[in-house]
Amino acid sequence: MSKVKITDTTLRDAHQSLIATRLETDDMLEIVGEMDKVGFHSFEMWGGATFDTAIRYLNEDPWNRITKLKEIAPKTPFQMLLRGQNLVGYKHYPDDIVYKFVEASYNRGIDIFRIFDALNDIRNMEVPIKAIKKYGGHAQGALSYTISPVHTIDYYIKAAEEMVALEIDSICIKDMAGLINPMDAYNLVKSLKDNFDLPVCLHSHCTSGMAPTSYFKAIEAGVDVIDTAIGPFSFGTSQPGVETMYAMLENTEYKSDIDIERVYKIANYFKKLKEKYKGLLSEAAVTTNTQILHFQIPGGMMSNLVSQLRDQNAEDRLDEILLEVPKVRKELGYPPLVTPLSQIVGAQATLNVLTGQRYKLIPSEVKNYVKGLYGKPAAPIDKNIEKLIIGDEKVSYEKSPELKNPTYQKFKDEVKDKIKKEEDVITYALFPDIALTYFENRGKTIQKPKPEKHHKVEKTKPVEESQHFHVKQPAQSNGGTSLRSPLPGAVLKIIGEVGKPVKKDSVLFVISAMKMENEIVSPASGILQKVFVKEGDVVQTGDVLATIA
Ligand code: CO
C-alpha cells in the first residue's frame, strides 16, 4: 500500500471537456509556475484536441506551447494524449509522420505519452509506441473503457498483454465517458495489478457522477495514479477535483503528498479564468447526466443526437433513436461510443429510425467502419448486417501498406515557402487545410471565432446560413421517376451527367448530414433526365433531387 499519485488534467482534458479546449497559452503561463510546485505526478497538458484547436481557433502555435510552459514549469513531467496512428488528428497518418511527430514532441518536452485506440486495436498503437521508445519517452498504453457483454476483465487483460508485449511503461484505464462504476474499477485495477508489474492509472470523467467513488475503490485496489483537475475546472464532464480526492483520502494510508494549500490558492486563479470563458460553458458540461446510466450513451453523444435531431426537425423521435442506438452498436460489434465511433453509431441509428427502414441509407463512414478501415471491433459484426452495409465487398483489418511509404519530404516540398520551422511540416501533414490558413495568419491579430453557446464544436465545415433556401420543385411530373432526398442535408457531390444512362442503385448524389457522407442511389435504371440541385445546396426531406426517364 502506498500513497496515491495525482496527475493534473486542467491544462488539457478539463478545458477540453468544459470549454471546448479554448484555454490559451498565456492564461496557462501565469499559473503553471505555481502548479509546478504542488507535487503532481504529471501535467496532462497537450495532445487530444489541443493541437487542432490551437491552429484552428486560437491562432497559436501548438509546439511553442510546450516550450513556453516547460520554461516556467521544468519540474513536473509533461504528459500528452495520442490517438494511436491518428496522433492528434482524425485519420491514420503515415508511419514516418508518426515518428516525426513523436520525435518533435519529445524534443519539445513531452515526457509521458498516453496512447490509445478507440477500438482497442493494439496494432494502431504499435508504431507510436516504437517511436516513443526510440526517442526515450515514457509510453503509457491506455485501454479504452466501455461496457458491453464482450468488454469483460479477460478482454481488457488480453488487450493489456498485447500492449505490454510492445514494452509499454505503464497502463491507463481510459474511461472517457465516465461509465466505470466503483466495483468494476476495483476489479479491473486489481486484475491489472495482479497480472502485470507496471504502474496503473485511472482516468475517468464525472459525467455520470460515479468517478470520485470509482477512484476511491480503484485506490483500494492498488491504482498508482488518478487523474484530477483543479477545483473550478473539475466535475461536470471533467475529472474529479484534486481537492475533493485529497480530502477523501485524508485519513487513509493512501493520503497524497501534494501541497494542498498551494492548490487552494491556484484554484482562485482558475475561478477567475472560468469567469472569462463562461460563454463557452454549457449547461450540459456542468450538470451530472444520469441518462448515461440509463441508456449508456455518453453525454457528448447525447447532446450531439439532440442537436442533430433539431437540424432534422425530428426532436420528437429521440426516444425511438435511444432504443435503436444499442441495437446498432451490438450489430456493429460493440464499438466504444467515443469519437468518431459515437458519431458513426449515432448517425446510423438516426437514419434507421428517420427513413423508416433499417440500413436503407448508410453513410460512407459506416461502410468504411464495416470494411475495417477503423480497425478491428471487439466482437464480430453481425453477418446479415454486414451484407446489408457492404454487400460482397471485402473486409480487411490489415493495416494499409501505404502507411509505410515515406511522405515527409513530399509534405515538406509542398510548404517549403510557408514554413518557419521544421515542425510546421508536421502541422501541415496533420491538418493540411487549416495549417495553411494558420501559416498565413500567424503573428497577426485576428478575430478569434467564438463558438456558439450550448453547441458542440463542429469538426466539419458548417453549412453557411446564406445557403439555406428551398430547392425548386419540378412543376409537374414529366413521366420520369423522381429521386427525392431521404433526409435534410447539404449536397456534397453530384455524380452522373444529365442525358447519360444510369443504373438502378448506382450512386447519383452524396448528401452531407450529421457530419456523415450519405450516398443517394438511383431508384431506377434509365436516363438521368434532369438534376434540380447543385453542389452546396441545402435540401429538405422529400425535395426532388433528380428525375430519371
Ligand atoms: Co478524458
Side-chain angles (χ1 to χ4, degrees):
M1 294 301 147
S2 61
K3 293 174 188 287
V4 67
K5 298 187 187 79
I6 296 182
T7 286
D8 178 75
T9 67
T10 312
L11 305 179
R12 204 284 297 176
D13 203 349
H15 73 105
Q16 182 170 330
S17 299
L18 296 176
I19 54 164
T21 335
R22 294 301 207 276
L23 210 55
E24 294 171 20
T25 305
D26 286 347
D27 288 330
M28 301 177 183
L29 290 174
E30 275 188 50
I31 196 70
V32 76
E34 278 304 297
M35 291 168 73
D36 199 29
K37 296 178 195 153
V38 168
F40 286 120
H41 169 68
S42 62
F43 291 141
E44 196 206 40
M45 44 56 75
W46 211 64
T50 64
F51 195 100
D52 178 354
T53 314
I55 55 170
R56 195 188 292 261
Y57 299 112
L58 305 179
N59 197 26
E60 261 193 28
D61 188 282
W63 302 100
N64 287 345
R65 180 178 289 179
I66 308 175
T67 307
K68 286 178 176 174
L69 291 174
K70 199 82 177 182
E71 268 168 21
I72 299 180
K75 225 170 63 189
T76 312
F78 280 14
Q79 185 175 316
M80 76 161 292
L81 182 67
L82 198 78
R83 304 183 182 116
Q85 194 95 19
N86 294 2
L87 300 174
V88 290
Y90 309 102
K91 60 171 200 150
H92 287 337
Y93 294 107
D95 291 351
D96 67 334
I97 300 298
V98 174
Y99 272 89
K100 288 279 185 190
F101 180 90
V102 168
E103 183 185 18
S105 316
Y106 180 75
N107 288 339
R108 281 279 183 165
I110 300 294
D111 304 285
I112 302 170
F113 294 76
R114 176 178 290 171
I115 319 125
F116 79 103
D117 175 71
L119 287 170
N120 292 316
D121 189 338
I122 308 302
R123 293 168 311 167
N124 288 334
M125 297 162 61
E126 197 176 330
V127 176
I129 291 174
K130 278 188 182 148
I132 293 157
K133 304 301 287 184
K134 178 180 168 185
Y135 298 112
H138 174 117
Q140 179 174 90
L143 299 163
S144 294
Y145 184 81
T146 189
I147 300 171
S148 89
V150 290
H151 288 87
T152 57
I153 294 230
D154 285 347
Y155 165 88
Y156 288 116
I157 294 294
K158 227 181 121 260
E161 262 167 18
E162 287 178 47
M163 299 195 304
V164 170
L166 295 171
E167 295 179 29
I168 53 165
D169 301 293
S170 59
I171 302 171
C172 170
I173 303 164
K174 185 174 158 54
D175 175 26
M176 50 272 271
L179 293 170
I180 201 163
N181 76 25
M183 222 42 226
D184 288 344
Y186 183 92
N187 291 328
L188 183 51
V189 168
K190 191 142 194 358
S191 304
L192 289 170
K193 291 301 288 181
D194 287 348
N195 278 276
F196 308 103
D197 192 18
L198 287 176
V200 174
C201 164
L202 177 58
H203 172 92
S204 186
H205 288 254
C206 299
T207 326
S208 77
M210 293 193 291
T213 317
S214 299
Y215 277 14
F216 196 89
K217 288 304 285 183
I219 291 164
E220 283 189 337
V223 88
D224 299 270
V225 188
I226 52 170
D227 281 12
T228 66
I230 291 175
F233 277 73
S234 65
F235 289 93
T237 51
S238 176
Q239 274 70 58
V242 49
E243 304 90 328
T244 309
M245 289 314 305
Y246 182 91
M248 279 170 76
L249 298 170
E250 186 110 56
N251 304 322
T252 70
E253 61 202 289
Y254 316 105
K255 183 174 186 247
S256 165
D257 275 338
I258 57 163
D259 180 351
I260 195 68
E261 291 302 325
R262 200 178 291 274
V263 173
Y264 291 142
K265 286 189 197 124
I266 294 167
N268 287 331
Y269 174 82
F270 280 104
K271 198 174 163 193
K272 276 186 248 147
L273 207 55
K274 197 176 175 185
E275 195 56 33
K276 171 180 169 184
Y277 288 97
K278 75 166 182 249
L280 293 162
L281 260 181
S282 72
E283 186 63 24
V286 293
T287 315
T288 305
N289 184 332
T290 51
Q291 278 182 312
I292 297 173
L293 305 171
H294 185 188
F295 298 109
Q296 302 204 336
I297 292 174
M301 182 177 175
M302 183 71 88
S303 52
N304 235 335
L305 278 175
V306 172
S307 85
Q308 272 167 17
L309 284 177
R310 205 177 298 136
D311 294 344
Q312 310 271 326
N313 295 320
E315 278 167 289
D316 56 325
R317 311 293 297 273
L318 181 64
D319 288 350
E320 289 165 80
I321 290 160
L322 292 179
L323 293 174
E324 179 68 10
V325 167
K327 280 189 211 157
V328 171
R329 182 173 177 238
K330 180 178 179 197
E331 286 160 352
L332 296 183
Y334 293 110
L337 296 178
V338 297
T339 317
L341 305 166
S342 50
Q343 192 63 25
I344 286 175
V345 171
Q348 189 61 61
T350 306
L351 290 171
N352 286 356
V353 170
L354 295 189
T355 59
Q357 190 188 332
R358 308 190 74 231
Y359 300 100
K360 181 187 174 196
L361 207 56
I362 302 152
S364 0
E365 288 83 352
V366 175
K367 288 180 192 168
N368 288 339
Y369 167 82
V370 172
K371 280 190 225 163
L373 267 61
Y374 290 82
K376 196 169 186 226
I381 292 171
D382 183 300
K383 279 287 158 208
N384 296 322
I385 300 298
E386 180 185 308
K387 184 112 185 134
L388 273 179
I389 295 176
I390 58 166
D392 294 325
E393 278 194 77
K394 254 183 68 185
V395 175
S396 170
Y397 298 122
E398 289 313 307
K399 190 177 156 181
S400 163
E402 273 174 32
L403 295 175
K404 286 204 165 68
N405 299 338
T407 58
Y408 187 76
Q409 195 54 47
K410 177 185 79 72
F411 286 119
K412 192 170 176 175
D413 291 344
E414 283 171 24
V415 287
K416 58 175 183 297
D417 306 330
K418 300 184 175 75
I419 59 172
K420 289 201 173 139
K421 55 177 181 298
E422 197 68 25
E423 288 136 332
D424 288 346
V425 181
I426 305 170
T427 305
Y428 172 72
L430 295 180
F431 299 101
D433 299 338
I434 57 170
L436 290 178
T437 315
Y438 166 68
F439 294 155
E440 240 166 68
N441 293 334
R442 173 157 50 184
K444 296 181 199 156
T445 315
I446 56 149
Q447 186 65 43
K448 283 165 194 161
K450 288 263 180 294
E452 254 182 84
K453 220 175 156 184
H454 305 308
H455 259 280
K456 272 222 83 135
V457 180
E458 293 285 325
K459 287 270 156 49
T460 48
K461 268 192 222 144
V463 174
E464 297 298 327
E465 200 60 42
S466 60
Q467 287 175 330
H468 280 280
F469 63 90
H470 266 279
V471 173
K472 272 197 289 324
Q473 295 302 296
Q476 68 201 40
S477 166
N478 38 15
T481 309
S482 296
L483 170 56
R484 288 172 185 277
S485 181
L487 77 174
V491 179
L492 210 61
K493 247 182 270 173
I494 300 174
I495 299 152
E497 268 178 76
V498 174
K500 293 273 161 72
V502 292
K503 281 207 182 77
K504 186 176 190 295
D505 291 336
S506 61
V507 179
L508 292 185
F509 297 92
V510 179
I511 291 188
S512 152
M514 299 178 289
K515 298 180 194 165
M516 301 275 134
E517 295 185 4
N518 304 280
E519 294 175 340
I520 313 298
V521 299
S522 177
S525 294
I527 302 288
L528 185 57
Q529 201 173 33
K530 194 162 178 186
V531 172
F532 294 88
V533 290
K534 55 182 194 309
E535 284 173 11
D537 279 359
V538 172
V539 294
Q540 304 300 325
T541 308
D543 282 354
V544 176
L545 302 171
T547 48
I548 291 107

